[in-house]
Amino acid sequence: MMQGTSSADWPRPRSFRRVQWLASLLLVSSALWVLAAPPVSATDTAPSPDLWPEEQRAFFQDGPALLLGEAQQEQLLAAGEEERADQIERFWQGGPEGLEAAVERRRGLIQSLGLSPIDTRAQVLFLQGLPDFREVVDCGQAFRPLEIWGYDDALAPGVAAAAASGRRTPEAKGERSPGRNYLILYRPNPGSMFDLWRPTDSKRVLYTQELEYFLEQWEELRGYIRGRRFDRQACEEAELVDAVTGIDGLFGFTEDRPRDADMVRFLQAPDNLGAWIADVLAEDAPKVAEALEIESLKIQFPQLMGQRIETRFTVRLPDASVLALPESSSATSSDSDSDPSFASTEGAAGAESDDSAEEPAEVLRWDEELPNKDDPQTDVLMEVLLEQRGTIFDAQRIRFRRPPTDEALPMALVAEEGLRPGQVFVARILVRDQVSGAEGRVVRGFQVPQVPQPVVEPPVPEQVLVALGESLAESSMAGEDSLVLIPPEADVILGLWKAEALVTGERIRRVAFFVDGKQQLKRSRPPFSVEVRLSQFPTEQVVRAEGYDSTGELVAADEVILNQPRGALQVRILEPSRGAPRRTEITASAEVVVPEGRRVESVEFLINDESKQLVESPPWSADLDVPTLGDLVYLTVVATLDDGSRAEDVRFLASPEYLEEVDVNLVELYTTVADRDGRLVKGLQEQEFEVLEAGRRQEISKFELVEDLPLTLGLTIDVSGSMASSLYEAQLAASGFIENIITRKDRAFTIAFSNRPVMLMPPTDDVGALKSSLDGLLADGWTSLHDAVVQSLYYFRGVRGRRALVVLSDGDDTASSVEFREALEYSRRSGVSIYTIGLGVSGLDLSIRNKLSKLSKETGGRSFFIQEAAELQQVYDEIEEELRSQYLLAYTSNNDLEPGTYVEVEVKVDRRGVDARTVRGVYQ
């Protein structure tokens, strides 16, 4: 895609500034829609709708009031609390039959798409339902994020055909319905809600500032410039935007262009409420997640954070929050005892028995271990969306995990935010169980007080466990003067990370921040947060925060481990390397792969079975003295987890000549062999293969045709805005791929990426959980392809054997913090085969084509370029066949190379007309 030019590089004429000022004024005016909460100060006599009792607030802001006329809405705004309650009661009691059911169905539709009710898209959906035509315009260099929707059979034939087939021909885009049944929804500013475009807003507000300036020059020189208009060169959907707005460029107005009334009518209450109800109830019911019970939400304001007041949200899940094992199972293979899928059973515990009912499912509490499952599936996601005056103020997404315990305790989820005194907000909080998909929602309007309101009791009541990203017991925050370093939301952190220390009490005056034992920054006043610099690639690092009083005495400290390898428990000695010369002193280091939900209690370093050093926090390294006497000297590293499980690794530091290490460092090459027509070739023998490393022939020590070896698979899907028309079909194809390829001995994970990568389901063998993680994805935002590749490869750390990553994207990177060369280097080091799929990528988009092709070629995978999502199933079938039909060639290098050296490898086959494909090189 084209790179935009900074607006700071271009002078602006006064006429432009006047027009921009007028456009801004119109934009502000249009944003003050009657349902958006107006700004209210603490002294206003009439409370903001944000502060109404929750039932009244929800009626006014979350859908039902959209069915009222303008006069009725004004009456509701002007009424007192009791009068409002009466008006709302009359609305429900006097409405046609089925009113409540229709309202709940449309609310469910909005929830299923993950939209806030104050987003104009949600309001249109509530009134009109799903559009018959939807085009997401994802051209960041030309337009602000915008969507074009069309409704009912008045759609122009060309556009209707384009919607059905996915075509984007200029002929189809140029046709517009005489009924003007199209509307444009756009995001005026980053982070804001989508708004309805009105012609009086001018077409300028749809463009980026850079393109707006270029188009001004175009208009001034119209007739003197040859070639296509700038926005049409940068974005193929520009013609469709012209057709729907009725404006060619900035000022080419057509006679039949739509007026404000044509757009605003999509937000008007229905003339016939009974007909609206009938239409809604005739629709297919939206797929709504099972309910997860939330016991309470507490909002507290314990202390100052600079000029802001710390606002603490505590969501409490009751003792009855359970996971259930339904009788139906999700088959993952031909085995008859395939793993069951999980579903929420709200209220299962403590319910009265019913002899006529089916036998109750086995009930598992949060703190119990799931059979044949990994702890990542006990994760809970908490999303906190803060709204102010009808716009998004801030959003947090935090992953929580229940600490292991034998007691059936409630669970409290805590989030923090620094907010200005006197401000009014609405907090929308979603809690999602990652296993069953069950969801609980709670909404609360509140006003930040002018002064803090100290919390007398501990932040969390006794006997309640708190999770802040990772496990955190109540004792961590129960003291008067304490410090907790809040873990990050994401599993993979690169470059800069904002470290935030939660401090309670009055004694701590200064907080110092360390990375791997070295101090980077310090803060002498709240908020105690800094940006620390981390490694360029995902590397296990320890960030520590230490709180000191006014005399310099250490009061409290906490630390988090970033980028810790996850998977089956494993220890791997990194230093000294195999074959290193014997020394009297060494620095031994190891890597520990830790299962999700577990933590390392200690790592012990032993020489000849004699304990030399016990390390309780990363980095896992120790300076050791090595005996000078004796022919046999060996290093053992033992890791012990919090549940008592142990793993170890051994490295010989000195050995008799006749003693050979059994655990040699084999280089494994998973190789695909195909003929000139691309057909896979099986039945080859070992003597037909030749392996070269740095041009030197290597002796093959292991050879087999891979058909049933365990596979670890990553599936990474682009969900940026441009995927809107293809995402549903992509989800179906990916679900089928997972169901076909994953057996009981395989593992897989799923990741979605737009503005940033998001883990949908950590590595698991549960096919049902993997498929469920793909449900309800929403296409929106930019494309962080490079970041997604790096984060996906992170989940293969510590995993041996067959490993493959499948990446689906329809556009070039527009949002990553990692450069492509860095992502490519990390891909080479990972040893993971990457299969890339370019969906709808033009042959002229050389940048993204080259990236996807290079990622696959360098890692021994394969790249596919298709035009329609309907072709995905065939692509997945080919990938599956290839992964089940590879040859495993292993050798021990006979080259004398320094550890960490990258060396090219090549596999040749002594058979005419066939070609072998494997990684381009390995790191020794």
Side-chain angles (χ1 to χ4, degrees):
M1 293 188 178
M2 288 177 52
Q3 298 296 318
T5 306
S6 172
S7 59
D9 298 334
W10 297 95
R12 301 302 177 98
R14 284 181 295 175
S15 61
F16 169 82
R17 288 196 293 269
R18 286 197 301 271
V19 173
Q20 189 180 47
W21 178 83
L22 288 172
S24 300
L25 182 61
L26 287 170
L27 178 60
V28 171
S29 300
S30 65
L32 297 179
W33 184 50
V34 65
L35 289 187
V40 178
S41 69
T43 59
D44 286 338
T45 55
S48 160
D50 295 345
L51 301 179
W52 289 358
E54 177 54 26
E55 183 179 352
Q56 298 180 14
R57 185 215 59 77
F59 179 89
F60 191 70
Q61 294 182 334
D62 295 356
L66 293 169
L67 302 175
L68 300 177
E70 185 176 347
Q72 292 174 295
Q73 293 176 4
E74 292 177 353
Q75 289 176 8
L76 204 61
L77 277 171
E81 182 176 332
E82 292 186 6
E83 187 179 351
R84 281 198 303 270
D86 290 341
Q87 292 181 27
I88 293 173
E89 181 68 20
R90 288 196 299 272
F91 171 81
W92 292 119
Q93 295 297 330
E97 184 180 354
L99 174 59
E100 291 191 37
V103 167
E104 287 308 308
R105 178 165 292 192
R106 282 288 165 85
R107 278 177 161 174
L109 173 63
I110 294 168
Q111 288 183 5
S112 69
L113 297 175
L115 297 177
S116 167
I118 65 170
D119 190 315
T120 305
R121 292 175 299 177
Q123 295 162 4
V124 175
L125 284 170
F126 186 91
L127 292 167
Q128 311 296 338
L130 289 171
D132 298 291
F133 170 77
R134 177 173 179 250
E135 181 76 24
V136 176
V137 180
D138 184 22
C139 301
Q141 67 272 41
F143 292 101
R144 301 182 190 276
L146 60 89
E147 299 180 10
I148 298 173
W149 292 12
Y151 281 94
D152 67 42
D153 54 5
L155 290 173
V159 177
S165 66
R167 289 187 297 107
R168 297 180 177 180
T169 62
E171 293 79 9
K173 295 174 185 175
E175 298 182 25
R176 189 164 54 82
S177 163
R180 300 193 183 103
N181 281 347
Y182 299 102
L183 67 155
I184 293 181
L185 297 151
Y186 74 107
R187 177 174 285 155
N189 300 295
S192 67
M193 297 289 188
F194 273 72
D195 199 1
L196 177 70
W197 177 78
R198 298 165 174 79
T200 52
D201 294 340
S202 85
K203 196 180 176 187
R204 292 176 179 273
V205 300
L206 302 180
Y207 288 106
T208 63
Q209 287 188 342
E210 289 77 16
L211 248 296
E212 182 186 351
Y213 175 75
F214 280 128
L215 289 177
E216 280 191 328
Q217 309 310 306
W218 174 277
E219 298 289 356
E220 290 182 8
L221 299 174
R222 183 187 284 266
Y224 298 95
I225 300 179
R226 294 183 178 180
R228 299 176 67 201
R229 207 175 65 216
F230 298 131
D231 56 332
R232 292 190 175 186
Q233 295 179 43
C235 182
E236 63 177 8
E237 288 89 357
E239 295 179 50
L240 180 59
V241 176
D242 286 351
V244 175
T245 59
I247 306 172
D248 182 9
L250 289 179
F251 307 122
F253 302 99
T254 61
E255 291 185 4
D256 64 340
R257 67 183 182 277
R259 303 300 194 265
D260 279 10
D262 298 314
M263 296 291 177
V264 174
R265 66 189 178 89
F266 290 99
L267 290 174
Q268 291 175 345
D271 295 330
N272 187 326
L273 188 56
W276 180 85
I277 294 172
D279 289 342
V280 173
L281 296 181
E283 299 169 354
D284 293 334
K287 184 177 180 181
V288 180
E290 293 289 332
L292 179 68
E293 183 181 352
I294 292 179
E295 184 177 277
S296 64
L297 166 64
K298 181 183 292 185
I299 304 178
Q300 298 169 306
F301 312 95
Q303 64 181 0
L304 280 173
M305 298 176 63
Q307 299 298 315
R308 301 181 181 226
I309 291 181
E310 175 188 312
T311 304
R312 179 181 300 154
F313 305 92
T314 303
V315 175
R316 197 171 190 268
L317 304 182
D319 196 33
S321 294
V322 293
L323 300 175
L325 291 170
E327 292 183 2
S328 61
S329 61
S330 173
T332 60
S333 67
S334 59
D335 298 339
S336 60
D337 58 342
S338 56
D339 292 339
S341 59
F342 291 82
S344 172
T345 58
E346 178 188 358
E352 296 182 5
S353 61
D354 183 358
D355 295 336
S356 64
E358 296 181 357
E359 183 178 350
E362 179 183 357
V363 174
L364 298 176
R365 296 194 180 278
W366 287 102
D367 50 326
E368 291 180 348
E369 184 178 351
L370 300 175
N372 300 320
K373 298 289 176 288
D374 297 314
D375 283 341
Q377 297 186 41
T378 64
D379 286 349
V380 181
L381 285 180
M382 177 181 177
E383 298 180 1
V384 181
L385 180 68
L386 288 181
E387 299 170 352
Q388 185 180 46
R389 302 170 188 167
T391 63
I392 297 175
F393 177 81
D394 194 17
Q396 293 188 51
R397 188 173 186 270
I398 311 170
R399 189 177 74 178
F400 297 85
R401 187 172 300 114
R402 181 72 181 262
T405 177
D406 294 330
E407 299 181 72
L409 299 178
M411 185 175 186
L413 314 178
V414 179
E416 306 273 348
E417 185 78 49
L419 302 176
R420 294 195 178 278
Q423 297 291 301
V424 175
F425 299 92
V426 171
R428 298 183 186 273
I429 299 179
L430 167 68
V431 178
R432 179 184 295 115
D433 166 25
Q434 286 285 75
V435 183
S436 66
E439 295 179 351
R441 287 177 168 81
V442 59
V443 184
R444 182 79 56 80
F446 66 95
Q447 185 169 28
V448 183
Q450 295 293 338
V451 295
Q453 299 173 351
V455 178
V456 177
E457 74 273 13
V460 180
E462 225 173 285
Q463 298 302 312
V464 177
L465 295 175
V466 183
L468 275 170
E470 297 291 338
S471 303
L472 177 68
E474 84 257 17
S475 58
S476 300
M477 293 184 60
E480 174 121 2
D481 298 290
S482 61
L483 179 151
V484 172
L485 189 58
I486 299 179
E489 301 175 22
D491 290 326
V492 182
I493 307 296
L494 308 173
L496 293 176
W497 176 57
K498 185 178 181 181
E500 298 181 81
L502 175 63
V503 174
T504 61
E506 299 294 331
R507 189 178 168 194
I508 296 177
R509 301 293 185 180
R510 177 172 62 88
V511 177
F513 294 85
F514 301 78
V515 177
D516 292 337
K518 297 181 180 179
Q519 181 175 327
Q520 284 198 1
L521 297 162
K522 61 183 179 181
R523 291 280 296 181
S524 299
R525 62 177 181 272
F528 294 109
S529 62
V530 298
E531 282 195 331
V532 294
R533 184 170 296 279
L534 305 173
S535 172
Q536 178 183 7
F537 296 121
T539 303
E540 186 175 10
Q541 293 185 278
V542 180
V543 177
R544 180 177 175 84
E546 296 182 350
Y548 297 87
D549 64 14
S550 57
T551 66
E553 181 181 352
L554 178 63
V555 177
D558 192 20
E559 63 185 29
V560 295
I561 303 173
L562 305 180
N563 304 324
Q564 189 173 44
R566 295 295 189 184
L569 176 59
Q570 177 185 342
V571 177
R572 185 162 61 96
I573 296 176
L574 304 177
E575 294 293 339
S577 59
R578 286 189 175 88
R582 182 169 181 171
R583 297 187 176 91
T584 58
E585 296 179 349
I586 62 169
T587 297
S589 64
E591 179 182 71
V592 182
V593 179
V594 185
E596 290 278 356
R598 294 287 177 253
R599 60 181 176 83
V600 179
E601 285 281 0
S602 64
V603 173
E604 187 177 15
F605 292 81
L606 306 94
I607 299 290
N608 289 356
D609 294 330
E610 181 182 349
S611 180
K612 295 295 184 181
Q613 192 167 337
L614 191 69
V615 182
E616 296 183 345
S617 63
W620 310 117
S621 63
D623 295 326
L624 306 173
D625 295 327
V626 180
T628 56
L629 300 177
D631 291 334
L632 182 62
V633 180
Y634 54 92
L635 165 70
T636 305
V637 180
V638 181
T640 303
L641 300 186
D642 56 338
D643 63 353
S645 55
R646 294 157 59 95
E648 67 179 45
D649 191 16
V650 177
R651 178 70 41 88
F652 288 98
L653 306 179
S655 60
E657 294 181 0
Y658 58 83
L659 183 63
E660 296 182 358
E661 289 193 50
V662 178
D663 186 19
V664 293
N665 189 20
L666 289 177
V667 177
E668 295 182 340
L669 303 176
Y670 289 93
T671 304
T672 301
V673 181
D675 61 19
R676 290 172 181 172
D677 295 325
R679 294 187 295 265
L680 298 176
V681 178
K682 301 182 181 180
L684 297 174
Q685 304 301 312
E686 179 180 343
Q687 57 268 24
E688 296 181 81
F689 286 87
E690 181 182 15
V691 177
L692 302 176
E693 183 187 84
R696 189 173 182 177
R697 185 185 178 96
Q698 304 294 313
E699 181 180 351
I700 299 174
S701 56
K702 185 177 181 181
F703 173 85
E704 65 178 296
L705 176 63
V706 174
E707 290 182 320
D708 297 317
L709 287 182
L711 168 69
T712 301
L713 175 74
L715 188 59
T716 301
I717 298 179
D718 184 349
V719 293
S720 62
S722 56
M723 283 287 295
S725 60
S726 308
L727 186 55
Y728 178 71
E729 201 159 2
Q731 291 173 220
L732 292 180
S735 294
F737 176 53
I738 289 172
E739 188 166 21
N740 291 335
I741 196 171
I742 299 301
T743 67
R744 293 182 62 84
K745 55 188 171 184
D746 302 323
R747 288 164 60 85
F749 62 86
T750 54
I751 287 179
F753 67 95
S754 54
N755 294 328
R756 63 182 180 86
V758 175
M759 168 60 73
L760 301 176
M761 180 57 64
T764 178
D765 62 353
D766 187 341
V767 171
L770 288 163
K771 293 172 63 178
S772 295
S773 71
L774 298 173
D775 292 342
L777 296 178
L778 182 66
D780 190 23
W782 305 95
T783 307
S784 57
L785 174 63
H786 308 162
D787 287 355
V789 169
V790 172
Q791 179 161 331
S792 300
L793 293 174
Y794 161 84
Y795 291 97
F796 291 97
R797 290 177 62 185
V799 177
R800 300 186 67 85
R802 286 197 309 145
R803 301 173 298 168
L805 174 65
V806 180
V807 180
L808 168 66
S809 182
D810 72 339
D812 206 347
D813 191 288
T814 57
S816 285
S817 59
V818 175
E819 297 290 337
F820 176 70
R821 64 177 182 276
E822 298 167 346
L824 180 62
E825 177 67 14
Y826 191 67
S827 301
R828 288 172 176 155
R829 290 181 177 274
S830 71
V832 177
S833 298
I834 301 178
Y835 292 81
T836 58
I837 306 173
L839 174 59
V841 177
S842 165
L844 299 178
D845 293 336
L846 299 181
S847 174
I848 182 60
R849 279 183 168 264
N850 289 338
K851 287 179 181 179
L852 296 179
S853 298
K854 200 158 191 176
L855 282 170
S856 59
K857 289 180 180 178
E858 292 287 329
T859 59
R862 185 178 170 190
S863 57
F864 300 83
F865 294 96
I866 58 178
Q867 292 304 311
E868 306 291 343
E871 302 174 61
L872 279 171
Q873 190 58 61
Q874 180 180 348
V875 171
Y876 285 137
D877 289 344
E878 291 185 37
I879 295 175
E880 178 187 355
E881 182 183 8
E882 182 167 313
L883 290 175
R884 297 295 183 195
S885 308
Q886 293 179 313
Y887 294 90
L888 171 59
L889 310 173
Y891 68 93
T892 302
S893 176
N894 57 24
N895 284 310
D896 186 15
L897 300 171
E898 289 291 327
T901 301
Y902 180 77
V903 58
E904 292 185 353
V905 296
E906 183 182 6
V907 175
K908 295 182 177 181
V909 180
D910 186 17
R911 181 176 291 195
R912 183 185 299 275
V914 302
D915 183 45
R917 188 175 73 251
T918 190
V919 294
R920 291 280 185 93
V922 296
Y923 285 87
Q924 292 287 9

